[in-house]
Amino acid sequence: MDTIVAAAALVFQPYVLMVIFGSAAFGMFVGAIPGLTATMATALLVPVTFFMDPVPAIAAIVTATAMAIFAGDIPGTLLRMPGTPASAAYVQDAFALTKKGVPEQALGASLVFSALGGIFGTLVLITSSPVLAEIALKFSSFEYFWLVVLGLSCAVFISPGSPARGLISLFIGLFAATIGLENPAGAPRYTFGSVELMAGVQFIPAMIGLFAVSEVIRGFIHRTDPGKPPKTSGRGIISQQWQNLKRYPKQALRGSVLGTAIGALPGAGADIAAWISYAVSKKFSKTPEKFGEGHVEGLVEAGASNNGAMSGAWIPALVFGIPGDSITAIVIGVLYVKGLNPGPMIFITQPEMIYAVFIVFLLANLIMLPLGWIAIMSARKVLSIPTRVLMPIILMFCIVGSFAMNNSVFGIWIMLVFGVIGFLMEENDIPIAPAILGLVLGPMLEQNFVTSMIKSQGSFIAFFERPIAAGLGIFTIAVWMLPLMLLLLRRRRAGRTDAASAN
């Protein structure tokens, strides 16, 4: 108890609280701009944290990250331009609700269930971090291979339309992931002598191009007038979510649990958690045909998974010093600079610092509700801006975001190329989401497959020899076989019905 009181005294100081609110506003701003990710918000804060004490430094990063992950849903919902990669998983449903004139339903669900998922993840972080971290440490290349294959399989479930079009999109993303030197052999592939392409296709410029620039091109070519913005009062942003919680309690809990568990796996993060949670929601939904048409069920589960994964990523970071994602990789560096060496001993030598971090997590997710409400009410005015004014502004932010990744003009070229590709894909009813998934998970798939084959000396049986790998592998294969089995059952029932009617 004395440790908790000491931790609370470190957090509830005017200066620390001011830092929390300031970094919350900063995270909201960065996350709401397409192309400026939560990772970028963290990276931009690092130089500032050098002048802070440990608690406000960590508080600034935690708060800005939580806000940025939620705020990425705002441009995704209003403009179909996801602000962060995690928001791309369910952008189709969110934007469809905006076209129906009820953007508050999408934004409210994202806000409330992001906060609930974050709080759940924080409670797990407090109570079960050593246990979950030990499980995560048992993951080798075999387990990661099956986890990535499962994530890629989700492309079939999340893509609207036919599975064949979803596979085409997935293969486009996987092909883009093979470009460059980032492969086990270290040999240049599809670079055509370009030095810049040796670094591979940068994910953020590609995502900006596929989602945002393609929308700008569409608006320029078709000259579509979106008409008047939907008349909405904004009163149901938070209050309406009580009905959603009563309607989808299993989805909220499942998203929180799945997000936290995936976040605890080193290298996974909120992006993969959102994709998998959305796919799982559609797979087990009673009305899967509504997904992609403006259905809030997927937003509930994936929204809870987003911030649950952010909290979960801190489990291996704090307990073992292993980053759960790119954000915690930056955080570990900050911890070392502040003299807080992450690892099991920190719970013994400096427990008050750990509990201070836990309190900051809870505060960040609680203040997300009022600040998110203000951000949503302010962002709704974006719909009132004429398209001829809005699109050039969006394009300017896209260029800045693409350039800022590596301070390279080549990022802008990647953005433009993928903008044209995204436009052509959507003109032919090929979904974009699986391409993004392939681009993100492609390198992980290849790396873990080659590493596993080297370990096993070419034996495929080794992929099922470890208990966790065997469980993941059997589950993944079952996911593949389930649609085929359902198809065979439907045909058998149809055959019996035809035979009965003939008699």
Side-chain angles (χ1 to χ4, degrees), residues 267-283:
D271 306 351
I272 296 176
W275 290 102
I276 293 180
S277 292
Y278 184 79
V280 167
S281 181
K282 183 176 181 180
K283 184 64 180 176

Side-chain angles (χ1 to χ4, degrees), residues 274-298:
W275 290 102
I276 293 180
S277 292
Y278 184 79
V280 167
S281 181
K282 183 176 181 180
K283 184 64 180 176
F284 292 101
S285 174
K286 295 179 180 178
T287 55
E289 69 280 356
K290 293 183 179 180
F291 280 65
E293 303 295 327
H295 193 42
V296 78
E297 183 177 352

Side-chain angles (χ1 to χ4, degrees), residues 21-90:
F21 277 96
S23 52
F26 172 75
M28 283 282 183
F29 173 76
V30 173
I33 297 176
L36 302 185
T37 65
T39 305
M40 186 176 293
T42 306
L44 291 173
L45 277 177
V46 169
V48 181
T49 61
F50 290 157
F51 305 98
M52 297 180 181
D53 291 332
V55 171
I58 300 302
I61 292 177
V62 169
T63 310
T65 304
M67 300 301 164
I69 289 176
F70 154 70
D73 295 341
I74 296 176
T77 300
L78 300 180
L79 301 170
R80 208 184 71 91
M81 299 176 183
T84 59
S87 307
Y90 43 87

Side-chain angles (χ1 to χ4, degrees), residues 26 83 111 138 237 295 301 341 363 411 430 472:
F26 172 75
L111 173 62
K138 293 179 181 178
I237 292 176
H295 193 42
E301 188 155 344
N341 298 337
L363 276 178
I430 298 175
L472 282 171

